[in-house]
């Protein structure tokens, strides 16, 4: 309901934070009608089914309880371990503590907004390889983040469906997944890995 109404209808703040939303559309593969609208900033082209996120640690930084609940539930349904934060400083603390595989953060948050959080992560020698996806209800705000050089690895509308969220997340973590799969299979990993700091590489191994 919150997603369909673009945030105008929201759940009560007393709702369960760690609840797991289950609905028939959560894994729906229904296609949108083609040629009826232009693609928004966060449009995700439909492809093969999203790979499971088992073994991935993800920080969800979102101050709206219902949106945090929805995003966390979708990721947990895919097997990820989710750490919820409701402001930017808490999200940054979680990132240092957990060294996550991904951070999803709202652009507008108290204490430390999404732009500041993303820049803090990308400047830090320990966290700089952690992918960040910025979230907003508004395309123009996401475009503004691009123009300001936020340095995020992805930009996504909050009204995205569960399948779109999972596909975008899988696209962003794909480089790490490829390295991990090749190492696990005993194969060689060729190319530069300077984008992957030692702590992150150790975690993958």
């Amino acid at each position: 309901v919150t997603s369909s109404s673009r945030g105008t209808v929201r759940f009560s703040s007393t709702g369960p934070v760690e609840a797991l939303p289950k609905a028939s559309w959560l894994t729906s593969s229904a296609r949108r009608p083609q040629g009826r609208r232009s693609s928004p900033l966060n449009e995700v082209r439909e492809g093969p089914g999203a790979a499971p996120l088992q073994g991935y640690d993800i920080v969800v930084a979102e101050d709206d309880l219902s949106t945090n609940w929805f995003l966390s539930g979708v990721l947990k349904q895919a097997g990820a371990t989710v750490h919820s934060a409701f402001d930017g400083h808490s999200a940054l603390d979680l990132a240092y503590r957990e060294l996550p595989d991904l951070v999803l953060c709202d652009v507008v948050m108290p204490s430390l907004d999404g732009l500041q959080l993303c820049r803090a992560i990308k400047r830090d020698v320990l966290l700089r390889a952690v992918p960040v996806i910025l979230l907003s209800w508004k395309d123009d705000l996401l475009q503004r983040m691009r123009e300001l050089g936020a340095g995020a690895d992805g930009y996504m509308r909050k009204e995205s469906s569960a399948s779109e969220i999972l596909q975008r997340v899988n696209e962003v973590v794909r480089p790490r997944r490829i390295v991990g799969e090749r190492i696990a299979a005993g194969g060689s990993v060729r190319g530069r890995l300077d984008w992957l700091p030692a702590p992150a590489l150790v975690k993958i191994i």
Side-chain angles (χ1 to χ4, degrees):
V1 173
T2 301
S3 175
S4 298
S5 65
R6 299 192 179 190
T8 57
V9 178
R10 304 189 181 197
F11 293 101
S12 166
S13 59
T14 58
V17 176
E18 295 299 326
L20 183 66
K22 290 183 180 291
S24 59
W25 47 264
L26 205 59
T27 55
S28 172
S29 60
R31 296 176 181 268
R32 284 194 175 93
Q34 299 295 318
R36 293 194 179 180
R37 60 178 177 86
S38 58
S39 298
L41 254 178
N42 72 314
E43 182 65 37
V44 179
R45 294 180 182 176
E46 188 169 346
L53 296 174
Q54 190 73 37
Y56 283 78
D57 285 292
I58 299 177
V59 170
V60 175
E62 167 61 66
D63 60 316
D64 180 73
L65 184 62
S66 60
T67 305
N68 195 312
W69 171 80
F70 170 71
L71 292 170
S72 298
V74 169
L75 296 170
K76 287 176 183 177
Q77 178 93 354
T81 298
V82 179
H83 310 276
S84 295
F86 297 91
D87 64 77
H89 280 302
S90 297
L92 189 57
D93 288 342
L94 274 173
Y96 280 119
R97 199 158 62 239
E98 304 295 339
L99 194 61
D101 300 290
L102 177 69
V103 172
L104 270 74
C105 64
D106 186 11
V107 172
V108 181
M109 286 190 298
S111 75
L112 196 71
D113 64 31
L115 176 62
Q116 294 169 321
L117 175 60
C118 184
R119 286 178 170 173
I121 289 173
K122 295 303 181 181
R123 287 195 205 109
D124 191 274
V125 67
L126 179 66
L127 300 176
R128 60 185 173 86
V130 176
V132 177
I133 296 178
L134 289 177
L135 307 166
S136 177
W137 293 108
K138 301 177 179 179
D139 276 333
D140 56 350
L141 185 54
L142 293 176
Q143 182 60 44
R144 181 61 175 157
M145 292 300 101
R146 290 176 185 267
E147 293 169 354
L148 289 173
D153 300 88
Y155 301 84
M156 187 165 61
R157 289 277 296 274
K158 290 185 187 181
E159 67 182 80
S160 300
S161 69
S163 59
E164 287 176 325
I165 292 168
L166 292 178
Q167 188 169 338
R168 176 52 55 92
V169 167
N170 275 284
E171 287 172 356
V172 171
V173 301
R174 185 171 178 268
R176 285 185 171 218
R177 174 176 282 130
I178 290 173
V179 172
E181 288 175 348
R182 288 181 180 172
I183 292 175
S188 61
V189 180
R190 301 177 183 273
R192 297 176 63 94
L193 288 178
D194 51 353
W195 59 274
L196 200 59
L201 187 58
V202 169
K203 184 177 181 181
I204 290 174
I205 295 172

